[in-house]
Coordinates of all heavy atoms in Angstrom, one line a residue:
M1 N -20.1 10.3 -0.9 CA -18.8 10.8 -1.3 C -17.7 10.2 -0.4 O -16.7 9.7 -0.9 CB -18.8 12.3 -1.3 CG -17.5 12.8 -1.9 SD -17.3 12.6 -3.6 CE -17.0 14.3 -4.1
I2 N -17.9 10.3 0.9 CA -16.9 9.8 1.9 C -16.7 8.3 1.6 O -15.6 7.8 1.6 CB -17.3 10.0 3.3 CG1 -17.4 11.5 3.6 CG2 -16.4 9.3 4.3 CD1 -16.1 12.2 3.7
N3 N -17.8 7.5 1.5 CA -17.7 6.1 1.2 C -16.9 5.8 0.0 O -16.1 4.9 0.0 CB -19.1 5.5 1.1 CG -19.7 5.1 2.4 OD1 -19.0 4.9 3.4 ND2 -21.0 5.1 2.4
R4 N -17.2 6.5 -1.1 CA -16.5 6.3 -2.4 C -15.0 6.6 -2.2 O -14.2 5.8 -2.7 CB -17.1 7.2 -3.5 CG -16.5 6.9 -4.9 CD -17.2 7.7 -6.0 NE -17.0 9.1 -5.8 CZ -15.8 9.7 -6.2 NH1 -14.8 9.0 -6.7 NH2 -15.7 11.0 -6.1
I5 N -14.7 7.6 -1.6 CA -13.2 8.0 -1.5 C -12.5 7.2 -0.5 O -11.3 6.8 -0.8 CB -13.1 9.5 -1.1 CG1 -13.7 10.4 -2.2 CG2 -11.7 9.9 -0.8 CD1 -13.8 11.9 -1.9
F6 N -13.0 6.9 0.6 CA -12.3 6.3 1.7 C -12.6 4.8 2.0 O -11.8 4.1 2.6 CB -12.4 7.1 3.0 CG -11.8 8.4 2.9 CD1 -12.6 9.6 2.8 CD2 -10.4 8.6 3.0 CE1 -12.0 10.8 2.7 CE2 -9.8 9.9 2.9 CZ -10.7 11.0 2.8
L7 N -13.8 4.4 1.7 CA -14.3 3.1 2.2 C -14.5 2.0 1.2 O -14.4 0.8 1.5 CB -15.5 3.3 3.1 CG -15.3 4.3 4.3 CD1 -16.7 4.5 5.0 CD2 -14.3 3.8 5.2
N8 N -14.9 2.4 0.0 CA -15.3 1.4 -1.0 C -14.2 0.4 -1.3 O -14.4 -0.8 -1.3 CB -15.9 2.0 -2.3 CG -17.3 2.5 -2.1 OD1 -17.9 2.3 -1.1 ND2 -17.7 3.3 -3.1
H9 N -13.0 0.9 -1.6 CA -11.9 0.0 -2.0 C -11.5 -0.8 -0.8 O -11.3 -2.1 -1.0 CB -10.7 0.8 -2.5 CG -9.6 -0.1 -2.8 ND1 -9.6 -1.1 -3.7 CD2 -8.3 -0.1 -2.2 CE1 -8.4 -1.7 -3.7 NE2 -7.6 -1.1 -2.8
P10 N -11.2 -0.3 0.4 CA -10.9 -1.2 1.5 C -11.9 -2.3 1.7 O -11.5 -3.5 1.9 CB -10.8 -0.3 2.7 CG -10.4 1.0 2.1 CD -11.2 1.1 0.8
R11 N -13.2 -2.0 1.6 CA -14.2 -3.1 1.7 C -14.1 -4.1 0.6 O -14.3 -5.3 0.9 CB -15.6 -2.4 1.7 CG -15.9 -1.7 3.0 CD -17.3 -1.1 2.9 NE -17.6 -0.3 4.1 CZ -18.3 0.8 4.0 NH1 -18.9 1.2 2.9 NH2 -18.5 1.5 5.2
S12 N -13.7 -3.7 -0.5 CA -13.6 -4.7 -1.7 C -12.5 -5.7 -1.4 O -12.5 -6.7 -2.1 CB -13.3 -3.9 -3.0 OG -12.0 -3.5 -3.1
V13 N -11.5 -5.4 -0.5 CA -10.5 -6.4 -0.2 C -10.7 -6.8 1.3 O -9.7 -7.3 1.9 CB -9.1 -5.8 -0.4 CG1 -8.8 -5.6 -1.9 CG2 -8.8 -4.5 0.3
D14 N -11.9 -6.7 1.8 CA -12.3 -7.2 3.1 C -11.4 -6.6 4.2 O -11.0 -7.3 5.1 CB -12.2 -8.8 3.1 CG -13.1 -9.4 2.2 OD1 -14.3 -8.9 2.0 OD2 -12.8 -10.5 1.6
E15 N -11.2 -5.3 4.2 CA -10.5 -4.6 5.2 C -11.3 -3.4 5.6 O -12.1 -2.9 4.8 CB -9.1 -4.2 4.7 CG -8.2 -5.3 4.4 CD -6.9 -4.9 3.8 OE1 -6.8 -3.8 3.3 OE2 -6.0 -5.7 3.9
N16 N -11.0 -2.8 6.8 CA -11.6 -1.5 7.1 C -10.5 -0.5 6.7 O -9.4 -0.8 6.2 CB -11.9 -1.4 8.6 CG -10.8 -1.6 9.5 OD1 -9.7 -1.1 9.3 ND2 -11.0 -2.3 10.6
Y17 N -10.8 0.8 6.9 CA -9.9 1.8 6.4 C -8.5 1.7 7.1 O -7.5 1.8 6.4 CB -10.5 3.2 6.7 CG -9.6 4.3 6.4 CD1 -9.5 4.8 5.0 CD2 -8.8 5.0 7.3 CE1 -8.7 5.8 4.7 CE2 -7.9 6.0 6.9 CZ -7.9 6.4 5.6 OH -7.0 7.4 5.2
V18 N -8.4 1.5 8.4 CA -7.2 1.4 9.1 C -6.4 0.2 8.6 O -5.2 0.3 8.4 CB -7.4 1.5 10.6 CG1 -6.1 1.2 11.4 CG2 -8.0 2.8 11.0
E19 N -7.0 -0.9 8.5 CA -6.3 -2.1 8.1 C -5.7 -1.9 6.7 O -4.6 -2.3 6.4 CB -7.3 -3.3 8.0 CG -7.7 -3.8 9.4 CD -8.8 -4.8 9.3 OE1 -9.7 -4.8 8.4 OE2 -8.9 -5.7 10.2
H20 N -6.5 -1.3 5.8 CA -6.0 -1.0 4.5 C -4.8 0.0 4.5 O -3.9 -0.2 3.7 CB -7.1 -0.5 3.6 CG -6.7 -0.4 2.2 ND1 -6.5 -1.5 1.4 CD2 -6.5 0.7 1.4 CE1 -6.1 -1.1 0.2 NE2 -6.1 0.2 0.2
A21 N -4.9 1.0 5.3 CA -3.9 2.0 5.4 C -2.6 1.3 5.9 O -1.5 1.6 5.3 CB -4.3 3.1 6.3
V22 N -2.6 0.5 6.8 CA -1.5 -0.2 7.4 C -0.9 -1.1 6.3 O 0.3 -1.1 6.0 CB -1.8 -1.0 8.7 CG1 -0.7 -1.9 9.1 CG2 -2.1 0.0 9.8
F23 N -1.7 -1.9 5.6 CA -1.2 -2.8 4.6 C -0.6 -2.0 3.4 O 0.5 -2.3 3.0 CB -2.4 -3.7 4.0 CG -1.9 -4.6 2.9 CD1 -1.4 -5.9 3.3 CD2 -2.0 -4.3 1.6 CE1 -1.0 -6.8 2.3 CE2 -1.5 -5.1 0.6 CZ -1.1 -6.4 1.0
A24 N -1.3 -1.0 2.9 CA -0.8 -0.2 1.8 C 0.5 0.5 2.2 O 1.4 0.7 1.4 CB -1.9 0.7 1.3
G25 N 0.5 1.1 3.4 CA 1.7 1.8 3.9 C 2.9 0.9 4.0 O 4.0 1.2 3.5
G26 N 2.7 -0.3 4.5 CA 3.8 -1.3 4.6 C 4.3 -1.7 3.2 O 5.5 -1.9 2.9
F27 N 3.3 -1.9 2.3 CA 3.6 -2.2 0.9 C 4.5 -1.1 0.3 O 5.4 -1.4 -0.4 CB 2.3 -2.4 0.1 CG 2.5 -3.4 -1.0 CD1 2.4 -4.7 -0.8 CD2 2.6 -2.9 -2.3 CE1 2.5 -5.6 -1.8 CE2 2.7 -3.8 -3.3 CZ 2.7 -5.1 -3.1
A28 N 4.1 0.1 0.5 CA 4.9 1.3 0.0 C 6.3 1.2 0.5 O 7.3 1.5 -0.3 CB 4.2 2.6 0.4
F29 N 6.5 0.9 1.8 CA 7.9 0.9 2.3 C 8.7 -0.3 1.7 O 9.9 -0.1 1.4 CB 7.9 0.8 3.8 CG 7.7 2.1 4.5 CD1 6.5 2.4 5.1 CD2 8.7 3.1 4.5 CE1 6.3 3.6 5.7 CE2 8.5 4.3 5.1 CZ 7.3 4.6 5.7
K30 N 8.0 -1.4 1.4 CA 8.7 -2.5 0.7 C 9.1 -2.1 -0.7 O 10.2 -2.5 -1.2 CB 7.8 -3.8 0.8 CG 7.7 -4.4 2.1 CD 6.7 -5.5 2.1 CE 6.5 -6.0 3.5 NZ 5.4 -7.0 3.6
L31 N 8.2 -1.4 -1.4 CA 8.5 -1.0 -2.7 C 9.7 0.0 -2.7 O 10.6 -0.1 -3.6 CB 7.3 -0.3 -3.4 CG 6.2 -1.3 -3.8 CD1 4.9 -0.5 -4.2 CD2 6.6 -2.1 -5.0
L32 N 9.7 0.9 -1.7 CA 10.9 1.8 -1.6 C 12.2 1.0 -1.4 O 13.2 1.3 -2.0 CB 10.7 2.8 -0.5 CG 9.7 3.9 -0.7 CD1 9.4 4.6 0.5 CD2 10.2 4.8 -1.8
G33 N 12.1 0.0 -0.5 CA 13.3 -0.9 -0.3 C 13.7 -1.6 -1.5 O 14.9 -1.7 -1.8
A34 N 12.8 -2.1 -2.3 CA 13.1 -2.8 -3.6 C 13.7 -1.8 -4.5 O 14.7 -2.1 -5.2 CB 11.9 -3.5 -4.2
G35 N 13.2 -0.6 -4.6 CA 13.8 0.4 -5.5 C 15.2 0.8 -5.1 O 16.0 1.0 -5.9
L36 N 15.4 0.9 -3.8 CA 16.8 1.3 -3.3 C 17.8 0.1 -3.6 O 18.9 0.4 -4.1 CB 16.8 1.6 -1.8 CG 16.1 2.9 -1.4 CD1 16.0 3.0 0.1 CD2 16.9 4.1 -2.0
A37 N 17.3 -1.1 -3.4 CA 18.2 -2.2 -3.8 C 18.5 -2.2 -5.3 O 19.7 -2.5 -5.7 CB 17.5 -3.6 -3.4
A38 N 17.5 -2.0 -6.1 CA 17.7 -1.9 -7.5 C 18.7 -0.8 -7.9 O 19.5 -0.9 -8.8 CB 16.4 -1.8 -8.3
L39 N 18.5 0.4 -7.2 CA 19.4 1.5 -7.5 C 20.9 1.2 -7.2 O 21.8 1.5 -7.9 CB 18.9 2.7 -6.8 CG 19.7 4.0 -7.0 CD1 19.7 4.4 -8.4 CD2 19.2 5.1 -6.1
V40 N 21.1 0.6 -6.0 CA 22.4 0.2 -5.6 C 23.0 -0.8 -6.6 O 24.1 -0.7 -7.0 CB 22.5 -0.4 -4.2 CG1 23.8 -1.0 -3.8 CG2 22.1 0.7 -3.2
H41 N 22.1 -1.8 -7.0 CA 22.6 -2.8 -8.0 C 22.9 -2.1 -9.3 O 23.9 -2.6 -10.0 CB 21.4 -3.8 -8.2 CG 21.8 -4.8 -9.2 ND1 22.7 -5.8 -9.1 CD2 21.3 -4.9 -10.5 CE1 22.8 -6.5 -10.2 NE2 21.9 -6.0 -11.1
A42 N 22.2 -1.1 -9.7 CA 22.5 -0.4 -11.0 C 23.9 0.2 -10.9 O 24.6 0.2 -11.9 CB 21.5 0.7 -11.2
I43 N 24.3 0.7 -9.8 CA 25.6 1.3 -9.6 C 26.7 0.3 -9.4 O 27.8 0.4 -9.9 CB 25.6 2.4 -8.5 CG1 24.5 3.5 -8.8 CG2 26.9 3.0 -8.2 CD1 24.1 4.3 -7.7
I44 N 26.4 -0.7 -8.5 CA 27.4 -1.7 -8.2 C 26.8 -3.1 -8.4 O 26.1 -3.6 -7.6 CB 27.9 -1.6 -6.7 CG1 28.3 -0.2 -6.4 CG2 29.0 -2.6 -6.4 CD1 28.5 0.1 -4.9
P45 N 26.9 -3.6 -9.6 CA 26.2 -4.8 -10.1 C 26.3 -6.0 -9.2 O 25.4 -6.9 -9.2 CB 26.7 -5.0 -11.5 CG 27.1 -3.7 -12.0 CD 27.7 -3.0 -10.7
C46 N 27.4 -6.2 -8.5 CA 27.6 -7.4 -7.7 C 26.8 -7.3 -6.4 O 26.7 -8.4 -5.7 CB 29.1 -7.6 -7.4 SG 29.8 -6.4 -6.3
L47 N 26.2 -6.2 -6.1 CA 25.4 -6.1 -4.9 C 23.9 -6.3 -5.2 O 23.5 -5.8 -6.2 CB 25.7 -4.8 -4.2 CG 27.1 -4.5 -3.7 CD1 27.2 -3.1 -3.1 CD2 27.5 -5.6 -2.7
F48 N 23.2 -6.9 -4.3 CA 21.7 -7.0 -4.4 C 21.3 -7.5 -5.8 O 20.3 -7.1 -6.4 CB 21.1 -5.6 -4.1 CG 21.4 -5.1 -2.8 CD1 22.2 -3.9 -2.7 CD2 21.0 -5.7 -1.6 CE1 22.5 -3.4 -1.4 CE2 21.3 -5.1 -0.4 CZ 22.1 -4.0 -0.3
E49 N 22.0 -8.6 -6.2 CA 21.7 -9.1 -7.6 C 20.3 -9.6 -7.7 O 19.7 -9.5 -8.8 CB 22.7 -10.3 -7.9 CG 24.1 -9.8 -8.0 CD 25.1 -10.9 -8.4 OE1 24.7 -11.9 -9.1 OE2 26.2 -10.9 -7.9
K50 N 19.7 -10.2 -6.7 CA 18.3 -10.7 -6.9 C 17.4 -10.1 -5.8 O 16.2 -10.5 -5.8 CB 18.4 -12.2 -6.7 CG 19.1 -12.9 -7.9 CD 19.2 -14.4 -7.7 CE 20.0 -15.0 -8.8 NZ 20.1 -16.4 -8.7
T51 N 17.8 -9.2 -5.0 CA 17.0 -8.7 -3.9 C 15.7 -8.0 -4.4 O 14.6 -8.4 -3.9 CB 17.8 -7.6 -3.1 OG1 19.0 -8.3 -2.7 CG2 17.0 -7.1 -1.9
A52 N 15.8 -7.1 -5.3 CA 14.6 -6.4 -5.8 C 13.6 -7.4 -6.4 O 12.4 -7.3 -6.2 CB 14.9 -5.3 -6.7
S53 N 14.1 -8.2 -7.3 CA 13.2 -9.2 -8.0 C 12.5 -10.1 -7.0 O 11.3 -10.4 -7.1 CB 13.9 -9.9 -9.1 OG 15.0 -10.7 -8.6
K54 N 13.3 -10.6 -6.0 CA 12.7 -11.5 -4.9 C 11.6 -10.7 -4.2 O 10.6 -11.3 -3.9 CB 13.8 -12.0 -4.0 CG 14.6 -13.1 -4.5 CD 15.6 -13.6 -3.5 CE 16.5 -14.6 -4.1 NZ 17.5 -15.1 -3.1
M55 N 11.9 -9.5 -3.8 CA 10.9 -8.7 -3.0 C 9.7 -8.5 -3.9 O 8.5 -8.6 -3.3 CB 11.5 -7.3 -2.6 CG 12.6 -7.4 -1.6 SD 13.4 -5.9 -1.3 CE 12.2 -5.1 -0.2
I56 N 9.8 -8.2 -5.1 CA 8.6 -7.9 -6.0 C 7.8 -9.2 -6.1 O 6.6 -9.2 -6.1 CB 9.1 -7.4 -7.3 CG1 9.6 -5.9 -7.1 CG2 7.9 -7.4 -8.4 CD1 10.3 -5.4 -8.3
T57 N 8.5 -10.3 -6.3 CA 7.8 -11.6 -6.4 C 7.0 -11.9 -5.1 O 5.9 -12.3 -5.2 CB 8.8 -12.8 -6.7 OG1 9.5 -12.5 -7.9 CG2 8.2 -14.1 -6.7
Q58 N 7.6 -11.7 -4.0 CA 7.0 -11.9 -2.7 C 5.7 -11.0 -2.6 O 4.7 -11.4 -2.1 CB 7.9 -11.7 -1.5 CG 9.0 -12.8 -1.4 CD 10.0 -12.4 -0.4 OE1 10.1 -11.3 0.1 NE2 10.9 -13.4 -0.1
M59 N 5.9 -9.7 -3.0 CA 4.8 -8.8 -2.9 C 3.6 -9.2 -3.8 O 2.5 -9.2 -3.5 CB 5.2 -7.4 -3.2 CG 6.1 -6.8 -2.1 SD 6.5 -5.1 -2.4 CE 7.9 -5.3 -3.4
H60 N 4.0 -9.7 -5.0 CA 3.0 -10.1 -6.0 C 2.2 -11.3 -5.4 O 1.0 -11.4 -5.5 CB 3.6 -10.5 -7.3 CG 2.7 -11.0 -8.3 ND1 2.4 -12.4 -8.4 CD2 1.8 -10.4 -9.2 CE1 1.5 -12.6 -9.3 NE2 1.1 -11.4 -9.8
E61 N 2.9 -12.3 -4.8 CA 2.3 -13.4 -4.2 C 1.3 -13.0 -3.1 O 0.2 -13.6 -3.0 CB 3.3 -14.4 -3.7 CG 4.1 -15.1 -4.8 CD 5.3 -15.9 -4.3 OE1 5.5 -15.9 -3.1 OE2 5.9 -16.6 -5.2
R62 N 1.7 -12.1 -2.3 CA 0.9 -11.6 -1.2 C -0.4 -10.9 -1.8 O -1.5 -11.0 -1.2 CB 1.7 -10.6 -0.3 CG 0.9 -10.3 0.9 CD 1.8 -9.9 2.0 NE 1.0 -9.6 3.2 CZ 1.2 -8.6 4.0 NH1 2.3 -7.8 3.8 NH2 0.5 -8.4 5.1
L63 N -0.3 -10.2 -2.9 CA -1.4 -9.5 -3.4 C -2.3 -10.4 -4.3 O -3.5 -10.1 -4.4 CB -0.9 -8.4 -4.4 CG -0.5 -7.1 -3.7 CD1 0.0 -6.1 -4.8 CD2 -1.6 -6.5 -2.9
H64 N -1.8 -11.5 -4.8 CA -2.5 -12.3 -5.7 C -3.8 -12.9 -5.0 O -3.7 -13.5 -4.0 CB -1.7 -13.5 -6.3 CG -2.3 -14.3 -7.3 ND1 -2.7 -13.9 -8.5 CD2 -2.8 -15.6 -7.2 CE1 -3.3 -14.8 -9.2 NE2 -3.4 -15.9 -8.4
G65 N -4.9 -12.7 -5.6 CA -6.2 -13.2 -5.1 C -6.7 -12.5 -3.9 O -7.7 -12.9 -3.3
R66 N -6.1 -11.4 -3.5 CA -6.6 -10.6 -2.4 C -8.0 -10.0 -2.7 O -8.2 -9.4 -3.7 CB -5.6 -9.5 -2.1 CG -5.7 -8.9 -0.8 CD -4.4 -8.1 -0.5 NE -4.6 -7.2 0.6 CZ -4.8 -5.9 0.5 NH1 -4.7 -5.3 -0.6 NH2 -5.1 -5.2 1.6
G67 N -8.9 -10.1 -1.8 CA -10.2 -9.5 -1.9 C -11.1 -10.3 -2.8 O -12.2 -9.8 -3.2
H68 N -10.8 -11.5 -3.2 CA -11.6 -12.4 -4.0 C -12.2 -13.5 -3.3 O -11.6 -14.1 -2.4 CB -10.9 -12.9 -5.3 CG -10.5 -11.7 -6.2 ND1 -9.3 -11.1 -6.1 CD2 -11.2 -11.1 -7.1 CE1 -9.2 -10.2 -7.0 NE2 -10.3 -10.1 -7.7

């Protein structure tokens, strides 16, 4: 049960639990940043015109092919 809940997925992307937690936590903060940039852009369209989309593209590139 412990393996299934905490270890199987990190192993599938060639990480241990701590490495995966650091990566996923950092990714979560980047997503929050992209969301905040998009929110500001929604209110004031001339600000952060491409910030969120660039951040999402960079995150996608980093994830693409991970664990394969």
Side-chain angles (χ1 to χ4, degrees):
M1 183 74 126
I2 297 288
N3 275 334
R4 186 177 65 79
I5 294 172
F6 295 104
L7 302 176
N8 284 350
H9 175 65
R11 286 179 185 148
S12 76
V13 292
D14 297 323
E15 294 175 344
N16 63 39
Y17 177 81
V18 173
E19 290 169 331
H20 187 71
V22 168
F23 181 87
F27 208 81
F29 280 109
K30 288 176 186 172
L31 286 168
L32 286 170
L36 289 172
L39 180 61
V40 170
H41 174 71
I43 297 165
I44 307 169
C46 68
L47 297 179
F48 303 112
E49 291 180 36
K50 296 179 182 178
T51 303
S53 60
K54 283 182 183 179
M55 291 175 77
I56 291 167
T57 299
Q58 289 170 349
M59 288 183 278
H60 177 266
E61 290 171 357
R62 188 156 182 220
L63 281 177
H64 184 69
R66 199 167 166 252
H68 295 95

